[in-house]
Amino acid sequence: MAELFWFEKYRPRSFDEVVDLEEVKVRLREFVKGGNMPHLLFYGPPGTGKTTMALVLARELYGEYWRENTLELNASDERGINIIRERLKEFARTAPVGKAPFKLVILDEADNMTSDAQQALRRIMEIYAQNTRFILLANYVSRIIDPIISRCAVFRFSPLPRHLMAERLRHIAEREGVTLKEDAVDVIYELSEGDMRRAINLLQIAAATNKVVDGNAVAAAATAVRPSDIVELFNLALNGDYLKAREKLRELMYIKGVAGVDFIRAFQRELIRMSLDDEVKAEVAELLADVDYRLTQGADEEIQLAYLLARLGAIGRRAKPTAPPPKKR
C-alpha cells in the first residue's frame, strides 16, 4: 500500500488529539453528550482544522458507523444546483444507521457554491432538519448567504499558533525518525502562515531527501526564497546598487525557481522587521501592492520585479539624509 501523506496519517481521530480550539471542543462535546446539535458553520483560513474537526465530530457521534451516516462533498467541484437537489436530497431522505438520531452532511468549500445552490441548500436544511444535520465549511463567511448563517451555530477557526505547530511538527518528526532543526520550524511557520496542512506537507517533502531537516531543506522543498536572501536583495536595492540587486534577483528566479508572487509575499513579511521609517515602509508597502496587482493581471514577472528594485533604489535615495553644505569661511 502506498504511504499516506503525513497530514492524513497524523490527522486527529478524537477530540483529545485535537490541539488548540479548546472553546470549540467544549461546545461540540456538549452536542455529542446531548445526542443532538444544530446545523454548524465552520469558517476560517485553510489548514486550520475545519475538515478535521468535522470528521472528529462524526466519529464521536456515530462511532463505528460514522462512514455510513456521513456524506462528504466538496462544493468547489460539485457546486451546481443539481447536486444539491439530487445527491444531498437522496442522502437526507434515508434513515440513519445504528442508534444515531440523525445523519450528517459535511459540505466543504461551501463558500464556492452558487447563490442558487445555496438557496436550494437552505430549503433542504429546512425540510430534512428532523433527520439530517449539515456542517458547512468555508474560508470566507461573507460568501455564505444570510438565511444559511442564521440557521447555523457558527464557529471561527484561527491559524495555529507557532508553539502548537512546532509541538505537532516535532511529534511527527520523532515518529518518522526525522531530526527537525529549530531553524526549520521557523521557516515552516513563516511559509505556512499558520496553515497546519501546508506545514506538515512541507516537512514531509523536505524529509524525503534528508532525515535531518533544516531551514535550507525546507526552503528548497517549498521552492521558496530564504528570508536572508530577501533581506540582502532589499538592502542592495535600497542602497542603490541596482545591477547587483538585479543579478541577485535573476539568480533567485532562474536558478532557484522562485515565483514573482513569492517575492512579493517575502518582501511583505520582511518589510515589517526592517529598520526603516514608518513613512518609508508605507511607501514600500504601496509599491508592493501595485506590483502584486500587475502580476495577478498577467504582467511579465522579471520586468515588474526589476521595476520594483528600481523604485526601491529611488525610495532609498530619498530616505537617506543628505550631508549639509559646507559652511562658508
Side-chain angles (χ1 to χ4, degrees):
M1 180 181 289
E3 175 70 17
L4 285 172
F5 284 117
W6 289 359
F7 178 74
E8 292 295 337
K9 185 177 180 181
Y10 293 99
R11 186 194 288 272
R13 300 296 193 268
S14 67
F15 286 135
D16 293 334
E17 296 179 28
V18 177
V19 297
D20 203 16
L21 304 171
E22 293 302 324
E23 185 178 341
V24 177
K25 287 193 290 184
V26 168
R27 294 173 65 184
L28 295 184
R29 283 181 193 273
E30 289 299 317
F31 293 149
V32 173
K33 184 178 178 181
N36 198 5
M37 70 178 198
H39 302 304
L40 306 177
L41 172 59
F42 296 166
Y43 79 95
T48 52
K50 300 186 296 295
T51 303
T52 294
M53 188 63 85
L55 294 176
V56 165
L57 178 58
R59 290 174 184 272
E60 295 280 351
L61 279 169
Y62 305 121
E64 61 179 315
Y65 297 111
W66 76 274
R67 291 189 183 277
E68 291 83 353
N69 287 314
T70 305
L71 174 64
E72 292 183 70
L73 293 174
N74 191 304
S76 64
D77 296 327
E78 302 170 298
R79 59 182 181 172
I81 195 168
N82 288 335
I83 192 63
I84 300 299
R85 287 178 175 166
E86 294 172 13
R87 192 168 175 191
L88 286 183
K89 203 170 181 180
E90 191 63 33
F91 177 78
R93 280 176 176 160
T94 58
V97 178
K99 298 180 180 180
F102 52 82
K103 303 183 79 172
L104 190 64
V105 175
I106 300 174
L107 193 58
D108 202 356
E109 299 189 40
D111 49 338
N112 286 332
M113 294 171 64
T114 62
S115 179
D116 287 343
Q118 289 193 43
Q119 292 292 349
L121 173 62
R122 174 184 66 85
R123 288 291 301 146
I124 292 174
M125 290 170 70
E126 289 176 351
I127 295 170
Y128 298 102
Q130 190 169 3
N131 69 330
T132 306
R133 298 294 183 273
F134 290 81
I135 301 180
L136 308 183
L137 312 179
N139 293 335
Y140 305 100
V141 71
S142 59
R143 296 179 184 174
I144 304 295
I145 61 175
D146 289 338
I148 287 182
I149 294 176
S150 66
R151 287 167 171 79
C152 298
V154 181
F155 294 86
R156 184 180 186 279
F157 287 65
S158 302
L160 204 65
R162 185 196 180 282
H163 69 282
L164 291 177
M165 177 178 283
E167 181 182 318
R168 189 65 177 171
L169 291 175
R170 292 190 189 101
H171 168 74
I172 294 172
E174 182 180 351
R175 294 284 298 273
E176 296 294 332
V178 173
T179 301
L180 183 62
K181 300 291 188 179
E182 192 60 30
D183 66 329
V185 175
D186 293 335
V187 175
I188 289 175
Y189 186 75
E190 290 241 349
L191 294 175
S192 64
E193 298 179 333
D195 182 335
M196 193 67 210
R197 176 171 52 239
R198 188 181 183 199
I200 295 174
N201 287 339
L202 282 173
L203 174 60
Q204 183 173 10
I205 295 169
T209 56
N210 196 335
K211 290 300 181 181
V212 178
V213 176
D214 58 13
N216 289 324
V218 174
T223 320
V225 58
R226 287 296 308 272
S228 58
D229 289 328
I230 280 295
V231 171
E232 180 184 352
L233 186 59
F234 217 124
N235 287 332
L236 286 172
L238 283 174
N239 292 330
D241 199 340
Y242 177 76
L243 293 181
K244 284 188 177 179
R246 184 163 184 191
E247 183 181 343
K248 180 71 176 178
L249 171 68
R250 290 176 63 86
E251 174 191 337
L252 294 172
M253 286 185 69
Y254 297 118
I255 297 179
K256 296 189 177 181
V258 181
V261 291
D262 292 333
F263 275 108
I264 300 299
R265 301 293 181 270
F267 270 127
Q268 192 175 38
R269 286 195 300 268
E270 295 304 318
L271 177 62
I272 303 300
R273 306 183 184 122
M274 300 199 67
S275 55
L276 299 170
D277 292 338
D278 288 345
E279 290 185 4
V280 175
K281 286 185 178 181
E283 187 174 358
V284 174
E286 185 177 359
L287 173 61
L288 292 175
D290 184 31
V291 174
D292 181 59
Y293 175 76
R294 295 182 190 182
L295 291 177
T296 60
Q297 297 302 306
D300 182 271
E301 288 188 345
E302 185 178 353
I303 292 175
Q304 290 304 315
L305 291 173
Y307 161 77
L308 170 63
L309 297 179
R311 285 290 308 277
L312 285 175
I315 293 171
R317 286 193 296 273
R318 291 200 305 273
K320 287 180 181 178
T322 55
K327 292 181 180 181
K328 293 182 179 179
R329 295 176 180 253

